[in-house]
Structure formats: structure tokens, C-alpha cells
Amino acid sequence: MTMKMPTISACEVTDCAYNANRQCHTMAVTVGGPETCARCDTYLHASPKGGVSDMTGGVGACKVKDCSFNSSFECSAPSIKVSQHQGHADCTTFKLR
């Protein structure tokens, strides 16, 4: 089965170094855990902004085994959204199995 890297369709975490105009501009993010908290492990609060300006970020890995989109630690969603949740950045596309 051929998989395509899901893109990050929107990122509401505007204080992230990779966020410009509510878009993620890193090559790929890792979505971590704990199990029912799909944190964006790539989130970086820093100045100046970084990343690749003409690139939209994708999901490189998903470590949240209880997400219905997790297939062998790869994300099978067509795209994800990232938002602020309880003081950290979360993949809000997360769906419990």
C-alpha cells in the first residue's frame, strides 16, 4: 500500500516558530502522546520564525497508538489541523479508536 504524507491544513498555534499565517512551514511534524493526547512534538516556541516558507508541513510520524488514523505509526488522515489545547499544540484531527 502506498501512503501519501498528510499535510497540515491549518495550524492555530501562532506562537510556534514554524507557523506563518496559520500555516505550518516545517518539512514534517511528529505527533506524540500520551495515548489520548495527540501533541505536536515539533512545536517550538522561539523567535525568529523558522521553517521553509514555500512549503506546507506534513505529518512525518504518529506515536499515538490509540488514534484511528494511526497505521503502523504513520498518519492515514488526508490532512490534519493543529490547535492550542491546555497550553500545548495538539493534532485536533485525532480520533480515538
Side-chain angles (χ1 to χ4, degrees):
M1 176 175 137
T2 302
M3 289 183 75
K4 183 178 175 188
M5 182 184 288
T7 59
I8 302 165
S9 61
C11 179
E12 300 298 320
V13 188
T14 57
D15 68 340
C16 180
Y18 295 109
N19 187 309
N21 301 315
R22 301 192 185 281
Q23 292 295 311
C24 180
H25 295 284
T26 187
M27 293 173 110
V29 300
T30 297
V31 178
E35 308 312 319
T36 58
C37 187
R39 289 184 188 219
C40 176
D41 285 350
T42 310
Y43 165 79
L44 176 64
H45 179 77
S47 187
K49 295 287 187 175
V52 182
S53 63
D54 62 347
M55 173 179 274
T56 300
V59 183
C62 178
K63 302 185 292 184
V64 186
K65 67 180 181 179
D66 291 335
C67 181
S68 63
F69 295 111
N70 186 321
S71 177
S72 300
F73 301 107
E74 301 293 337
C75 181
S76 65
S79 65
I80 71 163
K81 292 183 180 179
V82 177
S83 297
Q84 194 79 23
H85 177 251
Q86 297 180 346
H88 57 267
D90 268 9
C91 170
T92 55
T93 306
F94 168 80
K95 183 179 173 187
L96 191 61
R97 286 188 202 269

